[in-house]
Amino acid sequence: MRTEPPTRRTQAARREATCAKVLGATIECLAELGYFGTSIAAICERAGVSQGALFRHYPTRRDVIVAAAEAIGRHHLESFAAADLDLRRDGYRRFVELIRGICRSPTHAAWREIMIAARTDDGLREAASAGLGRFEAAILELCARSLGLGEAAAQPAAVILLSVMHMFDSEAVTVVVYGNAAIEARRIEWATGMLERELGVLGN
Amino acid sequence: MRTEPPTRRTQAARREATCAKVLGATIECLAELGYFGTSIAAICERAGVSQGALFRHYPTRRDVIVAAAEAIGRHHLESFAAADLDLRRDGYRRFVELIRGICRSPTHAAWREIMIAARTDDGLREAASAGLGRFEAAILELCARSLGLGEAAAQPAAVILLSVMHMFDSEAVTVVVYGNAAIEARRIEWATGMLERELGVLGN
DNA sequence: TAAGATAGAAAGTGCCCGCTTTCTATCTTG
DNA sequence: CAAGATAGAAAGCGGGCACTTTCTATCTTA
């Protein structure tokens, strides 16, 4: 399995394969090494691809990052679709655990690294905001679907659910830097109850 | 005012003056250029100080960042002390606006840049976590003082208030990258009401 | 006030970065 | 199957980075 026999593959397939390896490695690097540490060399080493190969498919480092943001955005959409959550059927505990799990995942760490970099990098921001926004879009869609409301009527709920997402997104960073297990345990309890109280009213 | 006459200053005063200039410039750079863009050259240019001068006082770039984190932590503590907030007297709207304002401030942006970098930089994390944690400490202290409860009894309130802080911390990034004014306006309203409902119970 | 210590400026130094160049291997198409 | 196109490897290149060295100016102290 080390060097597979020279299987005959179409050019498109070869291209897609190395692009996938590059994007996967980029997401891993962002999660483990941060935006700063995600160098072309680090990406290529992890992907098992030469730098020349990478630059054949992506003209600049920024384009690699932007493509990774797109991939992460799609991944987030799929995660929510796969969870197939119905807030009224499942209750809010599952939602809270789902959001917290996603926020603490490596993929989301990569998403966050790009978000933070985009704040101070105008070009990256313009190029990547669509892909990054898909995480927000995923939750908005979840609201409409899960509550069986139109987009306008779902907005009050969306504000609340997005706020919970922001809460766990920011918490996930502090967990690593100066974790406070007692507070985190209380938070997940409180968030569940709070959603029941705040969204229960809307559910009528 | 361009080149002030060679006023006679003690060595300690000169030292303190350039250190202050360096730390101020570092915080500005972190806020405007991000962690990546906060190079020694950028810091020194903004501070009006040579690189040799900087390295006389801080052995490495990391030490500059750590010192900046300490300064930001102290600044956050002072911000909360200066606000002199009493939740029961002032109501929750002022708290929500205070937190949102702080989270959107340049100083807090610098804090966040260091937090994010600390996630993937072990040495930075160990050296800076104490300073960074002062933001959390400031809110915890606010809880105990503002609600007139002991530390143990204040913890349920602390969980809620810290959660609101996390919410606006994460929101502040998305505001820059793909702002959604409608949701942000609703969020500040909702957060105020939610705190009244959730903390009103505890207040008894 | 002389001698040593500290602060600061200016010009390096080596390294790693994103990216390019060059060349070979594999695939497509007439 | 020949000829051109595409994919990929390997080495190289300029530039910016953190940090050092060297030298001068200012302060401290005996």
mmCIF file of all heavy atoms in Angstrom, chain C residues 1-18:
data_model
loop_
_atom_site.group_PDB
_atom_site.id
_atom_site.type_symbol
_atom_site.label_atom_id
_atom_site.label_comp_id
_atom_site.label_asym_id
_atom_site.label_seq_id
_atom_site.Cartn_x
_atom_site.Cartn_y
_atom_site.Cartn_z
ATOM 1 P P DT C 1 33.177 69.156 36.940
ATOM 2 O OP1 DT C 1 33.862 70.475 36.955
ATOM 3 O OP2 DT C 1 32.027 68.928 36.086
ATOM 4 O "O5'" DT C 1 34.275 68.063 36.689
ATOM 5 C "C5'" DT C 1 35.121 67.734 37.827
ATOM 6 C "C4'" DT C 1 35.405 66.257 37.787
ATOM 7 O "O4'" DT C 1 34.489 65.545 38.693
ATOM 8 C "C3'" DT C 1 35.176 65.609 36.416
ATOM 9 O "O3'" DT C 1 36.096 64.510 36.282
ATOM 10 C "C2'" DT C 1 33.779 65.038 36.544
ATOM 11 C "C1'" DT C 1 33.856 64.515 37.974
ATOM 12 N N1 DT C 1 32.556 64.253 38.615
ATOM 13 C C2 DT C 1 32.447 63.177 39.462
ATOM 14 O O2 DT C 1 33.369 62.437 39.706
ATOM 15 N N3 DT C 1 31.209 63.002 40.017
ATOM 16 C C4 DT C 1 30.097 63.793 39.819
ATOM 17 O O4 DT C 1 29.031 63.543 40.384
ATOM 18 C C5 DT C 1 30.272 64.901 38.929
ATOM 19 C C7 DT C 1 29.112 65.817 38.620
ATOM 20 C C6 DT C 1 31.479 65.084 38.360
ATOM 21 P P DA C 2 37.009 64.456 35.000
ATOM 22 O OP1 DA C 2 38.135 65.405 35.152
ATOM 23 O OP2 DA C 2 36.148 64.528 33.812
ATOM 24 O "O5'" DA C 2 37.591 62.975 35.134
ATOM 25 C "C5'" DA C 2 38.157 62.583 36.390
ATOM 26 C "C4'" DA C 2 37.779 61.156 36.696
ATOM 27 O "O4'" DA C 2 36.410 61.107 37.198
ATOM 28 C "C3'" DA C 2 37.825 60.201 35.511
ATOM 29 O "O3'" DA C 2 38.422 58.984 35.937
ATOM 30 C "C2'" DA C 2 36.361 60.020 35.120
ATOM 31 C "C1'" DA C 2 35.659 60.164 36.460
ATOM 32 N N9 DA C 2 34.291 60.680 36.393
ATOM 33 C C8 DA C 2 33.829 61.685 35.589
ATOM 34 N N7 DA C 2 32.552 61.950 35.762
ATOM 35 C C5 DA C 2 32.150 61.058 36.746
ATOM 36 C C6 DA C 2 30.911 60.830 37.370
ATOM 37 N N6 DA C 2 29.810 61.519 37.095
ATOM 38 N N1 DA C 2 30.868 59.860 38.307
ATOM 39 C C2 DA C 2 31.975 59.185 38.593
ATOM 40 N N3 DA C 2 33.191 59.305 38.076
ATOM 41 C C4 DA C 2 33.209 60.272 37.142
ATOM 42 P P DA C 3 38.566 57.777 34.953
ATOM 43 O OP1 DA C 3 39.830 57.102 35.307
ATOM 44 O OP2 DA C 3 38.330 58.278 33.584
ATOM 45 O "O5'" DA C 3 37.369 56.829 35.384
ATOM 46 C "C5'" DA C 3 37.316 56.338 36.726
ATOM 47 C "C4'" DA C 3 36.348 55.181 36.800
ATOM 48 O "O4'" DA C 3 34.995 55.718 36.784
ATOM 49 C "C3'" DA C 3 36.408 54.217 35.618
ATOM 50 O "O3'" DA C 3 36.047 52.919 36.088
ATOM 51 C "C2'" DA C 3 35.373 54.753 34.659
ATOM 52 C "C1'" DA C 3 34.291 55.244 35.637
ATOM 53 N N9 DA C 3 33.488 56.351 35.150
ATOM 54 C C8 DA C 3 33.794 57.255 34.172
ATOM 55 N N7 DA C 3 32.858 58.146 33.957
ATOM 56 C C5 DA C 3 31.864 57.798 34.861
ATOM 57 C C6 DA C 3 30.605 58.353 35.136
ATOM 58 N N6 DA C 3 30.109 59.418 34.512
ATOM 59 N N1 DA C 3 29.868 57.760 36.103
ATOM 60 C C2 DA C 3 30.369 56.696 36.740
ATOM 61 N N3 DA C 3 31.544 56.081 36.571
ATOM 62 C C4 DA C 3 32.244 56.694 35.609
ATOM 63 P P DG C 4 36.027 51.644 35.130
ATOM 64 O OP1 DG C 4 36.921 50.635 35.706
ATOM 65 O OP2 DG C 4 36.192 52.100 33.730
ATOM 66 O "O5'" DG C 4 34.530 51.122 35.318
ATOM 67 C "C5'" DG C 4 33.995 50.987 36.631
ATOM 68 C "C4'" DG C 4 32.494 50.946 36.568
ATOM 69 O "O4'" DG C 4 31.997 52.227 36.107
ATOM 70 C "C3'" DG C 4 31.943 49.893 35.611
ATOM 71 O "O3'" DG C 4 30.886 49.193 36.259
ATOM 72 C "C2'" DG C 4 31.422 50.703 34.428
ATOM 73 C "C1'" DG C 4 31.031 52.015 35.095
ATOM 74 N N9 DG C 4 31.068 53.166 34.205
ATOM 75 C C8 DG C 4 32.085 53.527 33.350
ATOM 76 N N7 DG C 4 31.825 54.627 32.686
ATOM 77 C C5 DG C 4 30.566 55.006 33.117
ATOM 78 C C6 DG C 4 29.761 56.116 32.747
ATOM 79 O O6 DG C 4 30.017 57.005 31.945
ATOM 80 N N1 DG C 4 28.553 56.125 33.438
ATOM 81 C C2 DG C 4 28.160 55.190 34.358
ATOM 82 N N2 DG C 4 26.972 55.364 34.907
ATOM 83 N N3 DG C 4 28.900 54.141 34.713
ATOM 84 C C4 DG C 4 30.084 54.119 34.056
ATOM 85 P P DA C 5 30.202 47.945 35.593
ATOM 86 O OP1 DA C 5 30.183 46.853 36.588
ATOM 87 O OP2 DA C 5 30.777 47.742 34.246
ATOM 88 O "O5'" DA C 5 28.703 48.464 35.425
ATOM 89 C "C5'" DA C 5 28.069 49.110 36.521
ATOM 90 C "C4'" DA C 5 26.773 49.729 36.055
ATOM 91 O "O4'" DA C 5 27.062 50.909 35.266
ATOM 92 C "C3'" DA C 5 25.929 48.801 35.169
ATOM 93 O "O3'" DA C 5 24.580 48.888 35.581
ATOM 94 C "C2'" DA C 5 26.131 49.370 33.771
ATOM 95 C "C1'" DA C 5 26.296 50.857 34.074
ATOM 96 N N9 DA C 5 27.032 51.607 33.058
ATOM 97 C C8 DA C 5 28.265 51.323 32.542
ATOM 98 N N7 DA C 5 28.689 52.187 31.649
ATOM 99 C C5 DA C 5 27.647 53.106 31.567
ATOM 100 C C6 DA C 5 27.467 54.267 30.796
ATOM 101 N N6 DA C 5 28.380 54.721 29.921
ATOM 102 N N1 DA C 5 26.307 54.945 30.958
ATOM 103 C C2 DA C 5 25.408 54.483 31.841
ATOM 104 N N3 DA C 5 25.466 53.411 32.612
ATOM 105 C C4 DA C 5 26.627 52.762 32.429
ATOM 106 P P DT C 6 23.514 47.794 35.116
ATOM 107 O OP1 DT C 6 22.739 47.378 36.305
ATOM 108 O OP2 DT C 6 24.213 46.813 34.262
ATOM 109 O "O5'" DT C 6 22.531 48.628 34.174
ATOM 110 C "C5'" DT C 6 21.903 49.797 34.689
ATOM 111 C "C4'" DT C 6 21.460 50.669 33.548
ATOM 112 O "O4'" DT C 6 22.621 51.114 32.805
ATOM 113 C "C3'" DT C 6 20.551 49.970 32.529
ATOM 114 O "O3'" DT C 6 19.304 50.645 32.537
ATOM 115 C "C2'" DT C 6 21.288 50.132 31.194
ATOM 116 C "C1'" DT C 6 22.198 51.317 31.482
ATOM 117 N N1 DT C 6 23.421 51.401 30.632
ATOM 118 C C2 DT C 6 23.562 52.466 29.782
ATOM 119 O O2 DT C 6 22.736 53.349 29.672
ATOM 120 N N3 DT C 6 24.728 52.465 29.056
ATOM 121 C C4 DT C 6 25.736 51.513 29.088
ATOM 122 O O4 DT C 6 26.736 51.624 28.376
ATOM 123 C C5 DT C 6 25.534 50.433 30.003
ATOM 124 C C7 DT C 6 26.555 49.350 30.130
ATOM 125 C C6 DT C 6 24.390 50.417 30.730
ATOM 126 P P DA C 7 18.079 50.182 31.592
ATOM 127 O OP1 DA C 7 16.817 50.468 32.309
ATOM 128 O OP2 DA C 7 18.361 48.813 31.119
ATOM 129 O "O5'" DA C 7 18.180 51.188 30.365
ATOM 130 C "C5'" DA C 7 18.130 52.589 30.622
ATOM 131 C "C4'" DA C 7 18.119 53.363 29.320
ATOM 132 O "O4'" DA C 7 19.453 53.342 28.735
ATOM 133 C "C3'" DA C 7 17.181 52.817 28.259
ATOM 134 O "O3'" DA C 7 16.514 53.924 27.674
ATOM 135 C "C2'" DA C 7 18.107 52.106 27.270
ATOM 136 C "C1'" DA C 7 19.380 52.924 27.386
ATOM 137 N N9 DA C 7 20.621 52.193 27.127
ATOM 138 C C8 DA C 7 21.034 51.025 27.687
ATOM 139 N N7 DA C 7 22.221 50.616 27.283
ATOM 140 C C5 DA C 7 22.618 51.606 26.399
ATOM 141 C C6 DA C 7 23.789 51.761 25.627
ATOM 142 N N6 DA C 7 24.806 50.900 25.638
ATOM 143 N N1 DA C 7 23.878 52.858 24.844
ATOM 144 C C2 DA C 7 22.848 53.735 24.838
ATOM 145 N N3 DA C 7 21.700 53.688 25.528
ATOM 146 C C4 DA C 7 21.646 52.584 26.290
ATOM 147 P P DG C 8 15.406 53.738 26.541
ATOM 148 O OP1 DG C 8 14.508 54.909 26.541
ATOM 149 O OP2 DG C 8 14.864 52.379 26.678
ATOM 150 O "O5'" DG C 8 16.263 53.810 25.208
ATOM 151 C "C5'" DG C 8 16.725 55.072 24.756
ATOM 152 C "C4'" DG C 8 17.531 54.887 23.500
ATOM 153 O "O4'" DG C 8 18.651 54.025 23.776
ATOM 154 C "C3'" DG C 8 16.778 54.229 22.345
ATOM 155 O "O3'" DG C 8 16.703 55.182 21.293
ATOM 156 C "C2'" DG C 8 17.613 53.013 21.972
ATOM 157 C "C1'" DG C 8 18.962 53.362 22.571
ATOM 158 N N9 DG C 8 19.811 52.216 22.899
ATOM 159 C C8 DG C 8 19.520 51.156 23.722
ATOM 160 N N7 DG C 8 20.497 50.287 23.812
ATOM 161 C C5 DG C 8 21.496 50.813 23.004
ATOM 162 C C6 DG C 8 22.801 50.318 22.700
ATOM 163 O O6 DG C 8 23.332 49.287 23.107
ATOM 164 N N1 DG C 8 23.475 51.170 21.833
ATOM 165 C C2 DG C 8 22.971 52.337 21.325
ATOM 166 N N2 DG C 8 23.762 53.015 20.513
ATOM 167 N N3 DG C 8 21.772 52.805 21.599
ATOM 168 C C4 DG C 8 21.082 52.001 22.436
ATOM 169 P P DA C 9 15.892 54.872 19.960
ATOM 170 O OP1 DA C 9 15.026 56.034 19.696
ATOM 171 O OP2 DA C 9 15.322 53.518 20.029
ATOM 172 O "O5'" DA C 9 17.055 54.885 18.887
ATOM 173 C "C5'" DA C 9 18.031 55.923 18.932
ATOM 174 C "C4'" DA C 9 19.124 55.671 17.900
ATOM 175 O "O4'" DA C 9 20.019 54.637 18.392
ATOM 176 C "C3'" DA C 9 18.602 55.187 16.551
ATOM 177 O "O3'" DA C 9 19.349 55.835 15.539
ATOM 178 C "C2'" DA C 9 18.876 53.682 16.570
ATOM 179 C "C1'" DA C 9 20.123 53.596 17.437
ATOM 180 N N9 DA C 9 20.221 52.354 18.207
ATOM 181 C C8 DA C 9 19.274 51.809 19.024
ATOM 182 N N7 DA C 9 19.641 50.692 19.598
ATOM 183 C C5 DA C 9 20.937 50.492 19.137
ATOM 184 C C6 DA C 9 21.888 49.485 19.379
ATOM 185 N N6 DA C 9 21.676 48.444 20.181
ATOM 186 N N1 DA C 9 23.088 49.592 18.754
ATOM 187 C C2 DA C 9 23.287 50.632 17.945
ATOM 188 N N3 DA C 9 22.479 51.641 17.639
ATOM 189 C C4 DA C 9 21.302 51.508 18.280
ATOM 190 P P DA C 10 18.842 55.801 14.007
ATOM 191 O OP1 DA C 10 19.114 57.138 13.441
ATOM 192 O OP2 DA C 10 17.502 55.219 13.970
ATOM 193 O "O5'" DA C 10 19.866 54.759 13.373
ATOM 194 C "C5'" DA C 10 21.221 54.793 13.806
ATOM 195 C "C4'" DA C 10 22.015 53.745 13.048
ATOM 196 O "O4'" DA C 10 22.151 52.555 13.873
ATOM 197 C "C3'" DA C 10 21.382 53.288 11.740
ATOM 198 O "O3'" DA C 10 22.417 53.075 10.797
ATOM 199 C "C2'" DA C 10 20.696 51.979 12.111
ATOM 200 C "C1'" DA C 10 21.660 51.429 13.160
ATOM 201 N N9 DA C 10 21.046 50.545 14.133
ATOM 202 C C8 DA C 10 19.743 50.538 14.570
ATOM 203 N N7 DA C 10 19.478 49.623 15.464
ATOM 204 C C5 DA C 10 20.695 48.976 15.635
ATOM 205 C C6 DA C 10 21.080 47.914 16.457
ATOM 206 N N6 DA C 10 20.256 47.271 17.285
ATOM 207 N N1 DA C 10 22.383 47.516 16.388
ATOM 208 C C2 DA C 10 23.210 48.157 15.554
ATOM 209 N N3 DA C 10 22.959 49.177 14.726
ATOM 210 C C4 DA C 10 21.663 49.544 14.825
ATOM 211 P P DA C 11 22.092 52.749 9.242
ATOM 212 O OP1 DA C 11 22.657 53.871 8.468
ATOM 213 O OP2 DA C 11 20.663 52.374 9.077
ATOM 214 O "O5'" DA C 11 22.988 51.452 9.011
ATOM 215 C "C5'" DA C 11 24.209 51.336 9.729
ATOM 216 C "C4'" DA C 11 24.563 49.876 9.898
ATOM 217 O "O4'" DA C 11 23.789 49.302 10.970
ATOM 218 C "C3'" DA C 11 24.287 49.018 8.658
ATOM 219 O "O3'" DA C 11 25.397 48.179 8.420
ATOM 220 C "C2'" DA C 11 23.056 48.221 9.058
ATOM 221 C "C1'" DA C 11 23.300 48.046 10.541
ATOM 222 N N9 DA C 11 22.107 47.744 11.322
ATOM 223 C C8 DA C 11 20.880 48.338 11.256
ATOM 224 N N7 DA C 11 19.992 47.848 12.094
ATOM 225 C C5 DA C 11 20.696 46.858 12.756
ATOM 226 C C6 DA C 11 20.323 45.957 13.779
ATOM 227 N N6 DA C 11 19.100 45.909 14.310
ATOM 228 N N1 DA C 11 21.261 45.088 14.213
ATOM 229 C C2 DA C 11 22.483 45.139 13.676
ATOM 230 N N3 DA C 11 22.961 45.937 12.713
ATOM 231 C C4 DA C 11 21.991 46.780 12.296
ATOM 232 P P DG C 12 25.527 47.378 7.102
ATOM 233 O OP1 DG C 12 26.951 46.932 7.016
ATOM 234 O OP2 DG C 12 24.933 48.135 5.996
ATOM 235 O "O5'" DG C 12 24.616 46.107 7.380
ATOM 236 C "C5'" DG C 12 25.162 44.839 7.205
ATOM 237 C "C4'" DG C 12 25.427 44.155 8.538
ATOM 238 O "O4'" DG C 12 24.447 44.593 9.505
ATOM 239 C "C3'" DG C 12 25.299 42.647 8.404
ATOM 240 O "O3'" DG C 12 26.447 42.008 8.897
ATOM 241 C "C2'" DG C 12 24.036 42.292 9.156
ATOM 242 C "C1'" DG C 12 23.837 43.463 10.107
ATOM 243 N N9 DG C 12 22.428 43.753 10.313
ATOM 244 C C8 DG C 12 21.675 44.749 9.721
ATOM 245 N N7 DG C 12 20.430 44.760 10.122
ATOM 246 C C5 DG C 12 20.350 43.721 11.040
ATOM 247 C C6 DG C 12 19.253 43.253 11.814
ATOM 248 O O6 DG C 12 18.104 43.680 11.838
ATOM 249 N N1 DG C 12 19.609 42.168 12.620
ATOM 250 C C2 DG C 12 20.871 41.607 12.665
ATOM 251 N N2 DG C 12 21.019 40.579 13.489
ATOM 252 N N3 DG C 12 21.901 42.036 11.968
ATOM 253 C C4 DG C 12 21.578 43.090 11.175
ATOM 254 P P DT C 13 26.866 40.691 8.092
ATOM 255 O OP1 DT C 13 28.287 40.474 8.399
ATOM 256 O OP2 DT C 13 26.394 40.862 6.706
ATOM 257 O "O5'" DT C 13 26.001 39.509 8.754
ATOM 258 C "C5'" DT C 13 25.930 39.382 10.170
ATOM 259 C "C4'" DT C 13 25.085 38.157 10.475
ATOM 260 O "O4'" DT C 13 23.743 38.569 10.833
ATOM 261 C "C3'" DT C 13 24.955 37.191 9.302
ATOM 262 O "O3'" DT C 13 25.039 35.873 9.789
ATOM 263 C "C2'" DT C 13 23.576 37.511 8.753
ATOM 264 C "C1'" DT C 13 22.813 37.869 10.027
ATOM 265 N N1 DT C 13 21.637 38.750 9.829
ATOM 266 C C2 DT C 13 20.496 38.521 10.568
ATOM 267 O O2 DT C 13 20.403 37.628 11.368
ATOM 268 N N3 DT C 13 19.469 39.399 10.315
ATOM 269 C C4 DT C 13 19.463 40.455 9.419
ATOM 270 O O4 DT C 13 18.479 41.175 9.290
ATOM 271 C C5 DT C 13 20.684 40.633 8.680
ATOM 272 C C7 DT C 13 20.794 41.745 7.683
ATOM 273 C C6 DT C 13 21.700 39.792 8.917
ATOM 274 P P DG C 14 25.544 34.723 8.819
ATOM 275 O OP1 DG C 14 26.876 34.285 9.267
ATOM 276 O OP2 DG C 14 25.325 35.182 7.425
ATOM 277 O "O5'" DG C 14 24.521 33.551 9.127
ATOM 278 C "C5'" DG C 14 24.072 33.341 10.456
ATOM 279 C "C4'" DG C 14 22.617 32.916 10.450
ATOM 280 O "O4'" DG C 14 21.765 34.057 10.152
ATOM 281 C "C3'" DG C 14 22.260 31.848 9.402
ATOM 282 O "O3'" DG C 14 21.402 30.932 10.034
ATOM 283 C "C2'" DG C 14 21.555 32.646 8.317
ATOM 284 C "C1'" DG C 14 20.826 33.670 9.178
ATOM 285 N N9 DG C 14 20.399 34.886 8.481
ATOM 286 C C8 DG C 14 21.110 35.619 7.555
ATOM 287 N N7 DG C 14 20.465 36.677 7.136
ATOM 288 C C5 DG C 14 19.258 36.647 7.828
ATOM 289 C C6 DG C 14 18.158 37.524 7.797
ATOM 290 O O6 DG C 14 18.022 38.545 7.126
ATOM 291 N N1 DG C 14 17.145 37.114 8.667
ATOM 292 C C2 DG C 14 17.202 35.998 9.456
ATOM 293 N N2 DG C 14 16.147 35.762 10.221
ATOM 294 N N3 DG C 14 18.224 35.167 9.505
ATOM 295 C C4 DG C 14 19.217 35.547 8.662
ATOM 296 P P DC C 15 21.107 29.510 9.436
ATOM 297 O OP1 DC C 15 21.790 28.520 10.306
ATOM 298 O OP2 DC C 15 21.398 29.557 7.977
ATOM 299 O "O5'" DC C 15 19.554 29.352 9.658
ATOM 300 C "C5'" DC C 15 18.919 30.036 10.743
ATOM 301 C "C4'" DC C 15 17.485 30.321 10.376
ATOM 302 O "O4'" DC C 15 17.375 31.587 9.689
ATOM 303 C "C3'" DC C 15 16.863 29.264 9.450
ATOM 304 O "O3'" DC C 15 15.591 28.922 9.945
ATOM 305 C "C2'" DC C 15 16.777 29.983 8.110
ATOM 306 C "C1'" DC C 15 16.556 31.428 8.552
ATOM 307 N N1 DC C 15 16.953 32.451 7.551
ATOM 308 C C2 DC C 15 16.076 33.500 7.260
ATOM 309 O O2 DC C 15 14.997 33.558 7.846
ATOM 310 N N3 DC C 15 16.445 34.425 6.341
ATOM 311 C C4 DC C 15 17.629 34.323 5.728
ATOM 312 N N4 DC C 15 17.946 35.266 4.830
ATOM 313 C C5 DC C 15 18.533 33.261 6.011
ATOM 314 C C6 DC C 15 18.164 32.351 6.917
ATOM 315 P P DC C 16 14.987 27.475 9.689
ATOM 316 O OP1 DC C 16 14.967 26.733 10.965
ATOM 317 O OP2 DC C 16 15.684 26.937 8.506
ATOM 318 O "O5'" DC C 16 13.478 27.780 9.290
ATOM 319 C "C5'" DC C 16 12.755 28.788 10.010
ATOM 320 C "C4'" DC C 16 11.850 29.515 9.059
ATOM 321 O "O4'" DC C 16 12.618 30.408 8.217
ATOM 322 C "C3'" DC C 16 11.066 28.592 8.110
ATOM 323 O "O3'" DC C 16 9.696 28.939 8.182
ATOM 324 C "C2'" DC C 16 11.667 28.898 6.740
ATOM 325 C "C1'" DC C 16 12.094 30.354 6.916
ATOM 326 N N1 DC C 16 13.146 30.827 5.980
ATOM 327 C C2 DC C 16 12.967 32.056 5.309
ATOM 328 O O2 DC C 16 11.947 32.714 5.509
ATOM 329 N N3 DC C 16 13.934 32.479 4.458
ATOM 330 C C4 DC C 16 15.027 31.735 4.270
ATOM 331 N N4 DC C 16 15.951 32.201 3.418
ATOM 332 C C5 DC C 16 15.224 30.483 4.933
ATOM 333 C C6 DC C 16 14.267 30.067 5.776
ATOM 334 P P DC C 17 8.577 28.018 7.566
ATOM 335 O OP1 DC C 17 7.705 27.565 8.652
ATOM 336 O OP2 DC C 17 9.282 27.043 6.703
ATOM 337 O "O5'" DC C 17 7.753 29.006 6.646
ATOM 338 C "C5'" DC C 17 7.406 30.316 7.137
ATOM 339 C "C4'" DC C 17 7.231 31.243 5.959
ATOM 340 O "O4'" DC C 17 8.544 31.611 5.464
ATOM 341 C "C3'" DC C 17 6.538 30.578 4.777
ATOM 342 O "O3'" DC C 17 5.141 30.829 4.851
ATOM 343 C "C2'" DC C 17 7.149 31.292 3.567
ATOM 344 C "C1'" DC C 17 8.446 31.890 4.082
ATOM 345 N N1 DC C 17 9.682 31.357 3.445
ATOM 346 C C2 DC C 17 10.317 32.099 2.443
ATOM 347 O O2 DC C 17 9.834 33.182 2.105
ATOM 348 N N3 DC C 17 11.432 31.587 1.874
ATOM 349 C C4 DC C 17 11.926 30.410 2.273
ATOM 350 N N4 DC C 17 13.036 29.959 1.681
ATOM 351 C C5 DC C 17 11.289 29.654 3.292
ATOM 352 C C6 DC C 17 10.179 30.150 3.838
ATOM 353 P P DG C 18 4.127 30.030 3.906
ATOM 354 O OP1 DG C 18 2.801 30.048 4.559
ATOM 355 O OP2 DG C 18 4.759 28.741 3.571
ATOM 356 O "O5'" DG C 18 4.076 30.906 2.584
ATOM 357 C "C5'" DG C 18 3.657 32.257 2.612
ATOM 358 C "C4'" DG C 18 3.985 32.903 1.277
ATOM 359 O "O4'" DG C 18 5.402 32.717 1.008
ATOM 360 C "C3'" DG C 18 3.247 32.318 0.080
ATOM 361 O "O3'" DG C 18 2.905 33.388 -0.808
ATOM 362 C "C2'" DG C 18 4.267 31.359 -0.527
ATOM 363 C "C1'" DG C 18 5.577 32.071 -0.239
ATOM 364 N N9 DG C 18 6.718 31.161 -0.104
ATOM 365 C C8 DG C 18 6.782 30.019 0.644
ATOM 366 N N7 DG C 18 7.932 29.399 0.572
ATOM 367 C C5 DG C 18 8.675 30.189 -0.286
ATOM 368 C C6 DG C 18 10.012 30.029 -0.750
ATOM 369 O O6 DG C 18 10.820 29.125 -0.490
ATOM 370 N N1 DG C 18 10.389 31.062 -1.606
ATOM 371 C C2 DG C 18 9.590 32.112 -1.970
ATOM 372 N N2 DG C 18 10.121 33.006 -2.812
ATOM 373 N N3 DG C 18 8.341 32.282 -1.541
ATOM 374 C C4 DG C 18 7.948 31.283 -0.706
#
